[in-house]
Amino acid sequence: MKTYLIASALLISSTVWAQQAAFDNFFYKGEDVCFAKETEKSERYNPILSGFYPDPSVCRKGDDYFLVNSSFSYYPGIPIFHSRNLVDWKQIGHVLDRPEQLKLDGLGLSSGVYAPSITYNEQNETFYVINTIVGGIGNFLVKTRNPFEGWSEPVRLPEVKGIDPSLFFDDDGKTYIVTSYLPKESKWYGHRAIHMYEYDIRTDKVVADCGIVVDGGVDVAAHPQWLEGPHIYKVAGRYYMIMAEGGTHAGHREVAFVSDNVKGPYRPCSINPILSQAGLDESRPDKVINVGHADMIDTPNGDWYAVFLGCRPYQDKLYNTGRETFLLPVEWKNDTPVIWESGKAVPSVVKVPKGMETERTDAAFFPNGNFEWKDSFNGPLLKKEWCMLRTPRDQWYELRDGKLYLEALDRTIEKPVNPAFLGRRQQHLAFQASVDVRFQPTSASDFAGMVLFQNEKNYVAIGLTMADGKQTVVIENVVDGKKERLYQEPSSAKQITCCLEVNNGTCSIGFKKKSRVQMVCHDVDITHLSTHKAKGFVGSYIGLYATSAF
């Protein structure tokens, strides 16, 4: 009988794997031009979290800040970070890190965990994350007194309709939930409204349906689309609600409303949008697009900051890194929280908030800018950056003797299942990646290697299989579900090193032979791995993969 560690849970398995692949010496190096410029000690690169970290939400307890992101059908769900200065973050784990918390079985990659919202209630000293699992249990919340020590089982909220729920704790002790909601009488394509509920935190029950508090958006006559991601704040006795308009693509922007009463009526603030990159010069350097889905937080000294998502395209609307997390200071103008002045480009560098200047001396901080990341799989647990596809129901990986072993399952990354796949996010438009793979295939259905993975129908695979009765190294490019074998060569090697060099929308692919990297495919078009072409809401991953259903 063998014991295995998965996330934080110890599992016991007596299964003997029929076939397994061993991985070692994973290497990743970011090489983005925008991160090559010199910065001062008091500056950090924007995005503060590069790669697929969308829909950020932030809260504060004293001097401690906590930030969460959506994760869709990746497991564990909802990565959570901690900071004491809003720019230097450490990932402390995931909110949904147990299979009983997060059921993603059978869901498409862009279903699952949508935008979470994290809040801290000073009255009962409890942290809350409220969320929607699209295609799953719908709206729910989890809570904890200590985010470093794990979260509760989900409290389901069947009465709460819509997506992107957010909690607001009023100073009179009452609690409210707001969501993005499809009205019963939809008046135009993309018409959405913000719906409010009153919630009792003592009984964990909805106690009142307060109805629609914002309908359509700022300029209803213009038929704005996809009003979503609402958050409420109380400032100087007034209630401010910010939310995104325009959908998470080219028309994305953040808007603000204000009311003298928590239940409304809410009216547009005097300045809108409060964040947008529309109408700017398309040739501007370090371009950021699709900004929105913001959340705001105040500091102990009374300053305000906003986290929001944005995208860094390498060409037109193409980006393979997904939607990333940015930070900017908020300026209050004419009774409006303005995140960034319209007509100005989002900067690629952000200052450390005043009074919080610290140096990044701890390697545990989330890397900012260009960096190298290695994993020799020497520990008893996987590093927090590694993710699976959907919820695991059996044990198919093992960390042993300084290697990662994956069972070659009869499951594939092309189906809505939990295959033997572990991936980490692509965090740069230009990067190198490599990994050692040891595998002995016995048929053309067997495969083990590295994949550059966007979704079930769009990926690149590099590794070992069988072809014409011989062990063979192969490179396959899958575009919208259609496979093309770019390269194959018989190889009797017991171990290979798969290598990738990505530069925006192209990549070179090869193998290390006798300590030298030999690229065998050059300038391969990988624009199909962009979110724009692949569709959906996720970014690309570099994955380690084994299967007997290739």
Side-chain angles (χ1 to χ4, degrees), residues 178-179 194-196 213-214 227 229-234 238-243 254-259 261-264 266-269 272 274 296 337:
V178 285
T179 70
I194 304 303
H195 203 103
M196 178 180 282
V213 291
V214 176
L227 199 66
H231 297 283
I232 299 177
Y233 317 86
K234 192 173 187 179
R238 308 185 78 192
Y239 299 88
Y240 293 84
M241 190 187 308
I242 68 170
M243 62 206 74
E254 194 74 14
V255 296
F257 290 73
V258 63
S259 175
N261 187 292
V262 67
K263 297 180 182 179
Y266 285 85
R267 62 183 182 278
C269 288
N272 270 306
I274 59 172
M296 302 194 306

Side-chain angles (χ1 to χ4, degrees), residues 21-183:
F23 297 83
D24 196 8
N25 298 317
F26 181 87
F27 174 79
Y28 175 94
K29 181 181 180 181
E31 300 176 326
D32 281 0
V33 173
C34 69
F35 296 146
K37 64 182 69 174
E38 292 186 7
T39 59
E40 299 177 0
K41 290 183 178 179
S42 62
E43 295 177 327
R44 301 291 184 269
Y45 292 110
N46 238 348
I48 54 168
L49 300 181
S50 58
F52 167 57
Y53 291 100
D55 305 322
S57 178
V58 64
C59 74
R60 176 174 67 86
K61 177 187 179 183
D63 294 324
D64 293 291
Y65 300 87
F66 297 89
L67 184 150
V68 294
N69 300 97
S70 56
S71 51
F72 296 89
S73 286
Y74 280 98
Y75 179 93
I78 310 183
I80 180 168
F81 300 85
H82 170 254
S83 175
R84 292 181 65 86
N85 68 0
L86 283 171
V87 293
D88 298 325
W89 295 90
K90 293 181 182 179
Q91 185 174 357
I92 60 174
H94 291 80
V95 174
L96 306 176
D97 61 0
R98 305 188 300 276
E100 58 268 25
Q101 287 178 304
L102 181 59
K103 298 179 181 179
L104 299 169
D105 309 73
L107 298 185
L109 199 55
S110 285
S111 295
V113 176
Y114 273 37
S117 176
I118 186 169
T119 45
Y120 176 67
N121 185 357
E122 294 181 351
Q123 299 165 24
N124 65 358
E125 299 181 336
T126 300
F127 292 86
Y128 293 81
V129 169
I130 189 169
N131 185 235
T132 313
I133 296 183
V134 174
I137 65 172
N139 289 310
F140 68 98
L141 63 80
V142 291
K143 49 190 172 179
T144 184
R145 290 292 183 93
N146 187 345
F148 294 93
E149 295 183 353
W151 295 74
S152 71
E153 293 301 307
V155 176
R156 297 185 66 169
L157 304 170
E159 303 92 346
V160 177
K161 308 303 180 184
I163 63 170
D164 296 358
S166 178
L167 282 165
F168 170 68
F169 303 108
D170 209 345
D171 48 22
D172 63 359
K174 291 186 176 181
T175 301
Y176 300 90
I177 298 172
V178 285
T179 70
S180 172
Y181 176 76
L182 174 62

Side-chain angles (χ1 to χ4, degrees), residues 484-501:
E484 179 185 4
R485 183 154 294 187
L486 303 180
Y487 177 84
Q488 72 175 45
E489 179 185 13
S491 172
S492 59
K494 294 182 179 180
Q495 176 176 297
I496 65 170
T497 301
C498 303
C499 303
L500 271 175
E501 292 182 1

